[in-house]
Amino acid sequence: MSRRRKDINYCDEDIPEASSLAVAEPHEISDSLVHEVAQITKLRSGPSGYLGRFLSNGSKGLVSPVKMLVGRESNYAGRGRFTESDKCHVLSRYLPVHGPKHVDHMRSRVYVSQFSSDGSLFVAGFQRSHIRIYNVENDWKIQKDIIARNLRWTITDTCLSPDQQYLAYSSMSPLVHIVNVQSATTVSRANVTEIHDGLDFSTEGFDGEFSIFSVKFSNDGREIVAAAGDDAIYVYDLMENKPSLRIPAHSSDVNTVCFADESGHLIYSGSDDHLCKVWDRRCFVSRGKAAGVLVGHLEGVTFIDSHGDGQYLISNGKDQATKLWDIRKMSSGVSFYMPGATDWDYRWMEYPEHLRNVKHPHDQSLATYRGHSVLCTLIRCYFSPAYSTAQKYIYTGSSEGSVHIYDMVTGNQVAKLEHHEAPVRDCSWHPHYPIMISSSWDGALAKWEFLGEVDTPEVTRLRRRRTTIYYY
């Protein structure tokens, strides 16, 4: 087998605790990130136009939501309502850091967990054959309890179709199964109470067994892209019911894959060969020819999340870092491979201390975020929601049992959610509300929220001093 594998800290606004901050080193934040990405985020999450200028009084800080409400009522913006960026400006301040509250617990490791695109459903995949779909709007009642078919070792990934009609799930095999989520059957036992259609990703000419580690539906629901342990990426045509494309993409296991945007033309992949690659299906010159390579990780890539604009993406690496990339800076096929730690296995060994601050000599990333740990399993990372935060944060699970939230532009760690007693492999931020679910190998699903009134002694003390509460 290849090498894969409750407390909130507050500090006073005017007395920051430097020791509690996790900040990216100055050389790890590029000028283009500060200039370009910062401007995009500001436009999407700052108070708009005259309203912002009038209320800020020249201040560089956040505008008070109370003042914004007054400004809206007085129609300073000339619109009589908040713009989307006004809403983001208010909502992005309220991080889901209070809790956690119990959602569910099983005697099985949680490997994957995600909200649906509209936030009405939540999917959790457990190691011992279970996948549970919760109805978020019905007090987290279990809508579907799925007993997986032909499971090998664990559920490796799940993905809801865009219309939320079907769920695809994968395990350590070349088969991906499809379940009808909206059927009347609550307990869906594979091929006993309900048919779980099997999609065979095996292709002619390849005789070996391989695993599927990542699956994603295309935006139109007609295709599924998969990352496999035979070093390849697969595209499955659901209309034709067969694989339509196999790309020999990497020189080691492909751990993660996703579509770059809604068009489905661009695909991102990440592998144990340390590389992230970009694939353009419109202009394949030859089989296996990537549109570009992104170099910078010193160890294998565990997960990739797209910004959704076909330009930016983030990746988690076994070198204990999350990196932000701009595909306009990718190289044209030159790998600049740099070997990582020798005789090191991330599944049961700590990362060598002397390598923690080593930088790849050809690092093409825009920013590097450190503070979490990527050990034991394929830890996942994400951009925060566009609707409520304008994607101004990056968040990731961590092997020591916590969730880390970073400011994308500054690199500062703005919150750390600590509760679990085992690695947090996956976590998910609700697309519209300040709610996050963390899922862990301790079998627990924990819900974190922003609460308007939190009467802890520390918060009460800060209120009396009229200081702003920061999470670090």
Side-chain angles (χ1 to χ4, degrees), residues 26 72 79 83 90 98 114 148 164 190 197-198 201 253 298 428 440 464 468:
R72 185 186 68 177
R79 298 171 179 266
T83 65
V90 176
H98 298 296
Q114 285 295 295
Q164 299 179 187
D197 292 325
F201 280 74
D253 293 356
L298 301 176
S428 186
S440 169
R464 288 172 180 167
T468 302

Side-chain angles (χ1 to χ4, degrees), residues 117 159-168 181 217-219 221 238:
S117 58
C159 185
L160 282 168
S161 61
D163 61 3
Q164 299 179 187
Q165 182 74 30
Y166 299 99
L167 177 80
V181 173
F217 275 97
S218 62
N219 188 62
L238 294 172

